Amino acid sequence: MKLYWHKISILPIFLVLPLFLCAQAMEDLPNENVKVWTGIFVNKKITKDLSLCAKISYHTNSLLYSARFSDLGLKYNLKYNFKIAGFYRFVRFFEIEQQRLYFELSHKKSVLNNRLIFKSRVRWERKYNTTDDYLEMHIRPKILIEYVNPVLGSLGFRPYCSSETFFCYRPDFVINRYRADIGVNYGITNASDLRLFIRHQKERHVEKNEIARQTTFNLGYRFYM
């Protein structure tokens, strides 16, 4: 990696980190079932600053395929690249049913002549399992770094990495989940893109006092109207 006073080349980060995550995935394979997520996200502008958003995701492993969750909510653009949003999520995963309500504040900032894009987000979430009458409440900070390379960008590819932590404060004060993503966005048109990424997650099930690790391969399609 070459370091300069006025800029930092971070492309090696996006080359090394996938190798680490893939190695971690292979390490987990004997004990964990690698899962695949697919989904679609639709963003419909109502006014210049207000958008209606809908998302549905599907989950599959080697034996099963099932709709997992759907989201519906609103996003509003504020000044200085800030956004606020509120969503309702309904989850149905075989015998489990869950309802979530979450609100979030996000911000976007570009540096180094728009080569690096930093996206930060703080989400408050209320998660209620209707199946077993169990309630969790979280605060979820997340940061995403997107690298805009002139060559890759001209081909529509924008690699990125992100990190998110789940701070649970009900029923207990504990960090009960951490996830890291590495992936790439591919622009199909000005109004749609594909997102392919690998996610590694470590989770503590508060109600069961168990720790689980999981690696997932994810594919999402986003459409803007």
Side-chain angles (χ1 to χ4, degrees):
M1 182 183 296
K2 296 181 179 180
L3 299 179
Y4 299 90
W5 177 257
H6 61 286
K7 65 179 181 179
I8 301 176
S9 175
I10 67 160
L11 184 57
I13 296 176
F14 294 99
L15 299 178
V16 174
L17 193 53
L19 297 178
F20 166 77
L21 288 176
C22 289
Q24 183 67 53
M26 294 303 294
E27 178 183 340
D28 290 341
L29 272 175
N31 301 316
E32 301 291 335
N33 188 9
V34 175
K35 298 179 174 66
V36 178
W37 288 89
T38 57
I40 185 168
F41 174 86
V42 179
N43 187 89
K44 169 66 175 177
K45 277 187 171 291
I46 300 175
T47 67
K48 177 183 177 181
D49 295 316
L50 183 65
S51 299
L52 176 66
C53 305
K55 182 169 112 175
I56 184 168
S57 294
Y58 291 85
H59 161 268
T60 182
N61 58 26
S62 56
L63 298 175
L64 302 170
Y65 187 79
S66 173
R68 181 66 185 265
F69 60 78
S70 54
D71 296 51
L72 184 65
L74 294 169
K75 283 188 177 181
Y76 186 78
N77 296 328
L78 302 172
K79 294 182 178 180
Y80 310 112
N81 290 325
F82 280 96
K83 291 183 179 181
I84 57 172
F87 282 86
Y88 169 78
R89 171 180 292 181
F90 177 74
V91 180
R92 183 174 180 85
F93 187 53
F94 303 107
E95 75 278 4
I96 299 174
E97 287 191 359
Q98 185 185 101
Q99 298 177 19
R100 298 190 195 182
L101 182 66
Y102 60 93
F103 299 93
E104 58 187 37
L105 175 67
S106 59
H107 182 254
K108 177 180 176 181
K109 182 175 178 61
S110 301
V111 298
L112 299 180
N113 294 322
N114 296 322
R115 292 289 185 91
L116 280 181
I117 300 175
F118 290 87
K119 298 178 181 179
S120 55
R121 187 208 70 200
V122 177
R123 175 183 292 180
W124 173 87
E125 176 182 79
R126 182 186 186 274
K127 182 171 68 174
Y128 178 65
N129 281 4
T130 57
T131 306
D132 53 11
D133 193 30
Y134 184 78
L135 176 66
E136 281 187 19
M137 300 180 77
H138 301 97
I139 295 176
R140 297 169 48 180
K142 177 180 180 179
I143 185 167
L144 182 147
I145 305 174
E146 193 172 50
Y147 177 58
V148 184
N149 178 275
V151 176
L152 292 177
S154 65
L155 298 174
F157 294 98
R158 297 165 72 115
Y160 74 93
C161 61
S162 69
S163 175
E164 183 176 12
T165 305
F166 291 59
F167 293 94
C168 179
Y169 65 92
R170 181 175 176 177
D172 299 309
F173 286 93
V174 65
I175 298 177
N176 68 331
R177 186 180 300 177
Y178 172 79
R179 62 172 56 144
D181 298 352
I182 178 74
V184 61
N185 289 326
Y186 174 68
I188 302 174
T189 68
N190 291 332
S192 64
D193 62 43
L194 283 175
R195 173 175 290 187
L196 175 66
F197 62 98
I198 300 173
R199 169 172 293 170
H200 183 69
Q201 178 172 284
K202 181 177 180 180
E203 180 176 7
R204 176 184 176 188
H205 298 284
V206 178
E207 70 276 21
K208 300 179 181 179
N209 197 25
E210 296 176 352
I211 295 179
R213 291 177 176 85
Q214 183 183 84
T215 300
T216 58
F217 298 88
N218 307 268
L219 176 64
Y221 174 72
R222 295 185 295 181
F223 181 68
Y224 303 89
M225 295 184 291

